[in-house]
Amino acid sequence: MFAQSNEECLDCHSDKDLTITENKIIKSLFVDEELFNSSIHSDVECIDCHVDFDPDDLPHKIGTNIAKVDCNECHEVENFSESIHAEKKVECFDCHSKHQIQEASTLKMKGPDFCITCHKKS
Ligand code: HEC
Ligand code: HEC
Ligand code: HEC
Ligand code: HEC
Ligand code: HEC
């Protein structure tokens, strides 16, 4: 199998100027190593989340070969799939972020201010 360490991935992905152009949109491929390593996912491997590709091949993203990350591989968030958020395609990472996970305690501390980042006060 293609076992690559986070260090190896970050050899390239800690470059702030690394980008990819998809549908004419320039997307950053930068991952902040410091923020990742200080997050609750610091012990999670990049390849635990990013599956179905061989990172030794460059380019390693060909079409849709890199699977969309499935958080539920490790977490069972009850009832999320039936929620209005799932229905409206709000992603886990829209709330928790991708690489610097916002924990439940952090989000709870923000209280309504957090919800208001998407829901305007009326
Ligand atoms: C907890 C799961 C998780 C881990 C661990 C993780 N990622 Fe990601 N990453 C995501 C999600 C979610 C996305 C958004 C795209 C998707 O859903 O597939 C993403 C997107 C990316 C992208 C595309 C650019 C972007 O920001 O959207 C790159 C590059 C990337 N990750 C690299 C890495 C590297 C390198 C590591 C290890 C240091 C890593 N990822 C660890 C969940 C993860
Ligand atoms: C030699 C440099 C290099 C290494 C090592 C590397 N990447 Fe990449 N990565 C790139 C480049 C360049 C792209 C964009 C073009 C391509 O697919 O090669 C990319 C694309 C990606 C994407 C797709 C982003 C998107 O949404 O379009 C993900 C996810 C990703 N890499 C994760 C990883 C992970 C996880 C590792 C370690 C297992 C890794 N990369 C190792 C250079 C690298
Ligand atoms: C609309 C924003 C939002 C979305 C989308 C969301 N979460 Fe959360 N999540 C929260 C908030 C706020 C908390 C803390 C409050 C609570 O525990 O109810 C939380 C708590 C959690 C926790 C810790 C508590 C527990 O239930 O175990 C985990 C793990 C988690 N979320 C993972 C996920 C995953 C995985 C997804 C996608 C399937 C997801 N979240 C989607 C906002 C969100
Ligand atoms: C490879 C397994 C794995 C995957 C995939 C994964 N996580 Fe985690 N996650 C963990 C581990 C391990 C912890 C730390 C132990 C714990 O609290 O469950 C954690 C903790 C968390 C927490 C903190 C829980 C709390 O009580 O505050 C949140 C939030 C979270 N993950 C969200 C996500 C989201 C969002 C994704 C998808 C982008 C994801 N995780 C994907 C393994 C994973
Ligand atoms: C990342 C953006 C985002 C965040 C953060 C977010 N939401 Fe939402 N929420 C949405 C979207 C998109 C919808 C779909 C309905 C819409 O168009 O407003 C929605 C719908 C809802 C609905 C159903 C409303 C209706 O009119 O049917 C409720 C209730 C709700 N959210 C509560 C919350 C709460 C509570 C929080 C904080 C824990 C929160 N949301 C945080 C994006 C978000």
Side-chain angles (χ1 to χ4, degrees):
M1 282 311 291
F2 330 111
Q4 275 206 357
S5 69
N6 288 7
E7 290 297 310
E8 285 169 287
C9 306
L10 287 164
D11 276 347
C12 294
H13 286 284
S14 62
D15 175 359
K16 288 199 166 104
D17 298 325
L18 191 68
T19 58
I20 192 173
T21 306
E22 285 176 329
N23 305 320
K24 296 188 182 157
I25 295 165
I26 298 171
K27 175 164 132 190
S28 169
L29 298 179
F30 169 65
V31 176
D32 192 316
E33 183 170 7
E34 231 168 87
L35 291 177
F36 181 81
N37 286 337
S38 61
S39 80
I40 192 158
H41 277 165
S42 59
D43 289 336
V44 179
E45 297 289 326
C46 310
I47 53 171
D48 287 339
C49 283
H50 294 290
V51 297
D52 290 350
F53 71 107
D54 180 354
D56 284 332
D57 276 349
L58 275 177
H60 47 237
K61 181 175 169 69
I62 301 153
T64 55
N65 66 317
I66 302 185
K68 193 172 140 57
V69 172
D70 182 4
C71 307
N72 286 320
E73 283 290 325
C74 301
H75 298 287
E76 253 181 76
V77 177
E78 274 177 48
N79 304 330
F80 183 73
S81 56
E82 287 99 55
S83 74
I84 179 96
H85 284 138
E87 202 177 294
K88 298 291 179 177
K89 306 266 181 285
V90 178
E91 305 274 2
C92 310
F93 61 75
D94 288 330
C95 292
H96 292 286
S97 95
K98 300 169 187 167
H99 301 126
Q100 50 193 94
I101 289 295
Q102 304 291 301
E103 292 171 46
S105 54
T106 313
L107 294 180
K108 275 185 189 154
M109 211 156 60
K110 289 184 186 160
D113 286 346
F114 163 68
C115 311
I116 290 167
T117 53
C118 295
H119 296 282
K120 285 200 197 74
K121 260 187 285 190
S122 58

